Amino acid sequence: QVQLEEAGGDLVRAGGSLELSCKVAGISVARNSINWCRQAPGKARECIATISRDLTTNYTDSVKGRFDISRADAINTVFLRMDNLKTEDTAVYYCNAFIFTGWTTRRDFWGPGTQVTVSS
């Protein structure tokens, strides 16, 4: 059974930093892509950062240069370092993993989320 658990959300002032963690069980972070996604009030969930098996990383434009995704294989955990936080980064942050169940189908797994609030 795949389980993900996020931690590290907090209230922080604009310009500050936070580091989120995602503890993963049931699959290896070293052999699966892991995403960080977020959902702001009244908005759709968006995935903002990905780390692939080969450590390739990708970011959505709004966080590029400010956020950094990394992982620690020994403890099966993925991190999201967030610097220069802006009020528009306020959201619930989720960790996401998936496994393919067929040629074109997959099953997604989500953690319960952690709240990040950035005050002005």
Side-chain angles (χ1 to χ4, degrees), residues 14-28:
S17 298
L18 277 177
E19 183 172 76
L20 307 181
S21 63
C22 173
K23 179 69 176 174
V24 181
I27 58 170
S28 169

Side-chain angles (χ1 to χ4, degrees), residues 34-75:
I34 305 294
N35 303 305
W36 277 102
C37 308
R38 67 185 181 186
Q39 187 165 20
K43 295 190 176 181
R45 191 174 297 189
E46 61 167 344
C47 289
I48 58 171
T50 300
I51 186 163
S52 301
R53 295 192 303 177
D54 63 358
L55 293 174
T56 300
T57 58
N58 285 286
Y59 303 89
T60 193
D61 286 347
S62 61
V63 307
K64 211 172 283 185
R66 299 188 298 122
F67 289 12
D68 180 69
I69 187 171
S70 62
R71 72 180 195 224
D73 295 350
I75 57 172

